[in-house]
Amino acid sequence: MDFLKSAVASAIAKGSSFPYSLGDRVDISDSIWTLHNATKRDDGSACSVFTFEIASNKSRLPLAKNAVRKSRTLRHPGVIKVLDTIETETSLYIITERVVPLSWHVKRRSLSEETSKWGLHTVASTLKFINDDASSVHGVVRASSVFASESGEWKLGGFDVLSSMNDEDAVIYTYASLVPDAARYTPPEVVKGGWETIKRHPLTAVDAYGLGILIYEVFNGGFSGGDQVGRTTNIPPTMQASYKRLCAANPKLRLSPKHFVEQGKKHGGFFQTPLIRLTDDIDNLGLKNDAEREEFIKGLDELSDDFPEEFFKMKVLPELLKSVEYGGGGPRVLGAILKIGSKLAQEEFNSKLTPVIVRLFANPDRALRVCLLDNLPLMIDYLPQKTVNDKIFPQMTSGFTDVAPVVREQTVKAVLSVIGKLSDRTINGDLLKFLARTANDEQPGIRTNTTICLGKIAKNLGPSSRSKVLIAAFTRSLRDPFVHARNAGLLSLAATMEFFTEEDCATKVLPVLCPSLLDKERMIRDQANKTLDVYLQRIRKFSSTMPDTVLPTSPSPDAPKDDARIGTSKDKSWAGWAISSFTNKLTAANGEIEPSANGAKPVEAEPVRSASVPRPTKPSPLSKVTPRPTAQPLGHRSMSEQIVPTTNDSEDADDVYEAWGAMDDDGGEKVDDPFSPVATTVFSTLGSPLASQPTPVPYDDGGEPDFAGWLAAQSKAKKTLPKGLSKTTTAAASPSRSSSHHSTTRSQSNATVKKIETKPKEEDLDDWGDAWD
C-alpha cells in the first residue's frame, strides 16, 4: 500500500499541472495523512505537502475534508502555516511551510527542558486561542498533531476533528472515534458517555486533558496508555501541580489551557524563562521604548547554547539586525547577533551577516566599534578575505589613531584576528605604519600590546624587512620605562629568534640585551638571562661550524721570523695580546723596500744596538758622487714627532672608527677612542723603527728606548765633560749621528747651536720625560 501511495505521489509530482515537486516521504504516525518534503516549482522554496489518498481511505474522508476546510480559515502564529490546498478526485493536498513531526524529537528525547517549556507554552497559548477566541475544540491534542517549523517553533496541526461548539453537526461528535489510536488519548468522560457528552462539560475539558498527555510525552519520550496520565515522572517540579490539574478525572476540575498559561507566567512560574520572554518581546522590539529595550537586552545575556538554533537564525536574528543597525540596539545586541551567527553555515553568514558587519564598522559609535573588535574572533572565519582586506580593515585603521585609548588598544589586539585575511602589501605597508605609531603610544599598555602583536605576526611580515622591523621594535621596547613593555620585548626576541641571521644575533641583538641583565627589576633580569642563553646557544652552535681561519697561507713558510721584544705570543700579561698583535704585523713583513723616487740607493740598516749607544762612523762612499741633500736644521726631535712609515693599517682603522661610531649612535656614552689616530701614532712609535731625515735611517732596534742607559749617560756627562766644552756654552751634538756626518752637517749649515745645561734643575728632577709628551 505504501508503495502504491508513493507511486501515485510521484505520478502527480511529474504532472505539469501540479505546482509542487514532491521529495522524500516523512514518517508520521497516528495520522490519516502522509507527509512529503517538497519544493515550489516557481521559486524552489521549501515546503511540505500533506497527502490524503481517497481511494484507500474512504471512511476517513470527512476527517480529511474537515482538516482542509479548517486549515484555510484558521490563522494563528501557533498554527501550522498553510500555503495552499488542492482537492482532486483521487487526493487531497495541504501545502504548508516546511515542517517535521515533533514525535521525531520526542522519541529521541533530544529536547532540553528550556526548549520543551518554550514549545509547550506555544501550544497552550494556541489552544487558548482555539477554545476562547474561536469557541472550538481541537479534540486530538497529542505529539503527532504538533510539528516543528524550520525556525524550531512548535506549530499545532491535526485539524481532522477541529469543530466549533456552535455547530450542531460538528464533525467531532460523529467522526472523532475514527482518528487513529483514538482510544489511548480519549478522556475518561468520553470513554463512558461518548463524544456527545462534551456538550455538558466545559468546552476546554477535552483539550486540557490532551495538553496534560502532551506534557507527559515531551518529558518522558512517549505515552503508552491511560494509566500514565497524571504521573509526575520527569515533570519539572514547578509544573507538577498545574500538570496534575490538567489531567484530573473530573472534567469540571480540570485547569483550562488559558489558566495553565497564566499560572506559568506568574512571578517565578514555570513559563518565566529567558527564551519565552525573548519570544514575547522579539516581534515588538522596534516599538519598545528605551527602558523596555534595555530590559530586553539584559535578557539576551541569559541565553544559553541549548536553545533551538533554528529559531534564533530565522526569527531572532533578523529582528536583532534591524535593531542594532537602525534601532540603537547597542553592543549587547551585537554580542547576541555574533553568538547566533557563529552557528550559521558559511552561505547563511555571508548572505545575512556580512553586509551588516561591513556597515557597522563604518559606524562612529565607539562602544559598537569595541564590541565588533572584541568579537572578531567569532566571525573572522566566515568573512571572505577580499571583504576583510578591502572593506573592513580600511575602516579599522581609524581605531589606531582614535583619541580613546580603549579603541586603540582593542584595534591592536584585533590585528591578530585579521592578519590571516590581509594581503602582503597591506601588512608590510599600512599595518606596519600604524603599529609603528602605537609602539610609541603614550599608554604603556598599548605599547606593550604592540610589541606582543609584532611578535605574534612576525611570520606574516615580508622577509626583506622583517628582521629590521622586529629588531628595531623589540630593542626600543627594552628601553621602555614600563616594566611589562620591557618584558614583552625580551619574550618577543626569544620567540622570533628564527627570523634573524647569526650576524644579526651577534651584532644587533646581543649588545642591546646585555643592559637588561642589570635591570632594576628582577623579573627583567631573569628573562634577560633566559633570552641571552637562547641567543648564545645559537651563536655558539653556528661558530663551531666556521673554519679556523680565512687568511691565505704564507708563500715562504721557511722564511725566518724575528721575535718581538714585547707583546709576543708568550706574553701572558693582560695587555700583551693587544701589543703583540701590532708588533707581529711589523715583524712578519717580507720582501724588499722599493727604491725612492729620485733613484737613491737605499741605506743599509744598522745592526741592532741600544738606544743609548752612539752610532758608529761610516765612511762616505767615494766611488760615486751624489748631490748632497738640503741641509737640515740641527735640533732635538721628540719621539712623538718622529716620522712613522705609512702602512695599509689606516684603512682598517677607518673601519674601526665607523663601528665604534655606529655603537655610539645608539645612545651609549662617548669615551676616548683608544684606536684614534693619535693613539695609533704612539703605538707605532713604540713598536716600529723611527725615521730621522729624508733618508730613512734606523734609530734603534724597534724596542723600547733604553731609559736606564740614557740616564747613565746623562749622569756621566755631569761628571766628565768632553774635551773642548765649557760649563756655560758647548756645541750641541746629536748622539744619534755618526761623527763624520755630524762634522759635515755642522760645517755646511748655519743652524743655531743649542746650549745644554749640565746642571740639573732643582725644582724638577723628572723633566726628562718632557721630550715624550
Side-chain angles (χ1 to χ4, degrees), residues 638-660:
S638 65
M639 299 298 292
S640 61
E641 295 174 347
Q642 300 299 324
I643 300 175
V644 182
T646 304
T647 66
N648 292 334
D649 290 341
S650 60
E651 296 180 0
D652 296 337
D654 292 340
D655 294 338
V656 173
Y657 306 152
E658 294 178 2
W660 281 85

Side-chain angles (χ1 to χ4, degrees), residues 8 12 33 51-55 86-93:
V8 173
I12 295 174
W33 300 87
T51 305
F52 179 80
E53 303 294 336
I54 299 176
I86 300 175
E87 297 185 34
T88 65
E89 296 179 355
T90 57
S91 303
L92 300 178
Y93 302 98

